[in-house]
Amino acid sequence: MKKLPDLDPVSAAHSRRAARFIADEIRKTGGWLPFDRWMALALYAPGLGYYAAGSQKLATGGGVPAGDFVTAPELTPLFARTLARQVAQVLEACGGGEILEFGAGTGALADGLLAALDEAGVRASYRILEVSADLRERQRERLAAYGERVRWLDALPESFTGCVVANEVLDAMPVRLFRWSDAGLLERGVALHGEDGFAWEDRPAPPDLAEAVSARMPALPGYVSEINLQAEAFVRGMGQWLQRGAALLIDYGFAQREYYHPQRLEGTLMCHFRHVAHADPLVAVGVQDITAHVDFTAMAEAAVDGGLELLGYISQAGFLMNAGLMDLLGALDPADAQAYARAVAPVQKLLSPAEMGELFKVLAVGRGVAAPLIGFGRGDRSHAL
């Protein structure tokens, strides 16, 4: 495991409080928690979880990066401006409607989308569903200029028409861990180690987990991975309230055959702390992010099961190129060499196969949108799901 940066006194104290809280929950449940429950507490326990407390999570560029990770909207405003072209097409196909963003981070994507749409003459209302109280406040400050056009929701809408955006949302939903053994499938959970420490402990998988995993991959003794049934339920549930429009789900992940490839025998679980990526979620409790890559085949199937249509699946690089990123880049003035270089560098990260261009994918699902979406015009991989 990579050596993590030392916790500052405030972060260390917060982590101890979070660890004590989760340790007490483990004691209440007989000494063991399935990992999805443990992950939910580590990320979302009120006032203690990573997304429910006040630590700075996202970097905003410039100098030594703050936070724990950086997202595409924070890298460059060109990401939002390009995505706005796809959002505008969806809204036009709906004859209007709103934008609904899940997990809006610092508000950078919302700000960029609204500005680009206004510039294009598309005046849209914006709704945000955000579970982090401190991020919601940061969003309010950043988006104050848009007034009543931006509103925050506390629950899913009963009915919605327009464009749904979820950038790096599915990966943060709690996953269940499993391990194949010679005796069959085991569910990996967390037990106590010492007073408030944690250790892995595997138990026989319950029928629902065994059935779900067996449907996706053969038994491979020693193989460890995860399954995101909560994210699947979330996507499936969109069919109940997305009356007309499209959802753009942007995240890192793979199609199912690649996700459960025999060579990926340790799964995809990852943590991020001060821009160090590692694979141990049982440390730095409450002050580090915990994620897993997305099984896009499962998400597409969940959407179809919920009554939605699969509208496209493509790499992030392919999506951005199709949606006109190079046109926006070409409009920049290369005469100012330094400014031009600053604009181009993050774009290379968005597009490079070695960076975000290939690992990140865009999945579009929806209802009542007849026209082919511009972001999937060339290189659509729906057939590979």
Side-chain angles (χ1 to χ4, degrees), residues 358-375:
E358 178 58 34
L359 179 59
F360 277 70
K361 310 295 194 306
V362 185
L363 176 70
V365 297
R367 175 183 286 135
V369 179
L373 299 182
I374 59 172

Side-chain angles (χ1 to χ4, degrees), residues 13-283:
H14 179 88
S15 184
R16 288 193 295 270
R17 290 193 297 272
R20 283 196 297 269
F21 176 80
I22 298 176
D24 287 342
E25 292 298 307
I26 292 177
R27 294 185 186 96
K28 292 175 186 176
T29 56
W32 185 85
L33 280 178
F35 182 73
D36 61 331
R37 176 59 180 156
W38 192 94
M39 181 175 172
L41 292 173
L43 294 182
Y44 303 110
L48 293 171
Y50 178 75
Y51 283 105
S55 62
Q56 182 170 347
K57 301 151 186 65
L58 297 115
T60 53
V64 178
D68 300 303
F69 55 91
V70 62
T71 64
E74 301 289 349
L75 277 174
T76 169
L78 292 176
F79 179 83
R81 290 178 62 81
T82 307
L83 184 60
R85 295 184 169 198
Q86 181 61 88
V87 172
Q89 185 199 13
V90 172
L91 295 178
E92 181 180 3
C94 293
E98 301 177 320
I99 303 167
L100 170 59
E101 184 180 1
F102 288 92
T106 64
L109 182 56
D111 193 6
L113 284 175
L114 285 167
L117 290 170
D118 283 355
E119 186 178 309
V122 180
R123 189 172 176 83
S125 298
Y126 209 97
R127 305 293 175 252
I128 296 174
L129 206 159
E130 177 61 65
V131 299
S132 170
D134 68 300
L135 286 177
R136 183 183 287 209
E137 288 308 308
R138 293 178 68 182
Q139 294 157 16
R140 288 188 190 279
E141 292 177 9
R142 181 161 190 162
L143 303 172
Y146 296 101
E148 292 300 314
R149 290 173 59 192
V150 180
R151 290 197 292 111
W152 283 259
L153 306 180
D154 295 318
L156 291 170
E158 294 184 2
S159 178
F160 181 82
T161 295
C163 190
V164 177
V165 177
N167 182 57
E168 293 196 52
V169 171
L170 299 178
D171 66 271
M173 292 187 177
V175 296
R176 297 177 76 173
L177 296 187
F178 63 86
R179 178 173 70 86
W180 283 104
S181 72
D182 291 333
L185 190 73
L186 303 175
E187 180 166 18
R188 176 152 289 182
V190 182
L192 290 175
H193 179 71
E195 185 64 23
D196 295 322
F198 305 103
W200 296 116
E201 183 178 304
D202 299 339
R203 296 187 175 186
D208 67 322
L209 180 61
E211 181 180 355
V213 172
S214 298
R216 296 160 204 244
M217 66 172 296
L220 297 172
Y223 194 98
V224 177
S225 193
E226 59 281 324
I227 186 169
N228 200 333
L229 299 179
Q230 180 172 323
E232 292 174 36
F234 168 75
V235 174
R236 187 181 302 110
M238 285 184 180
Q240 299 178 7
W241 50 265
L242 181 55
Q243 299 303 309
R244 186 178 183 187
L248 304 173
L249 310 175
I250 307 166
D251 229 310
Y252 41 89
F254 315 101
Q256 197 164 93
R257 282 173 293 183
E258 186 179 356
Y259 196 102
Y260 296 116
H261 192 281
Q263 292 182 342
R264 189 167 283 110
L265 74 171
E266 295 183 350
T268 72
L269 197 67
M270 289 297 296
C271 305
H272 301 89
F273 178 72
R274 304 295 187 265
H275 298 273
V276 174
H278 66 97
D280 188 356
L282 305 187
V283 300

Side-chain angles (χ1 to χ4, degrees), residues 277-300:
H278 66 97
D280 188 356
L282 305 187
V283 300
V285 180
V287 296
Q288 70 170 354
D289 191 23
I290 307 172
T291 73
H293 288 45
V294 175
D295 175 355
F296 279 104
T297 300
M299 299 307 147

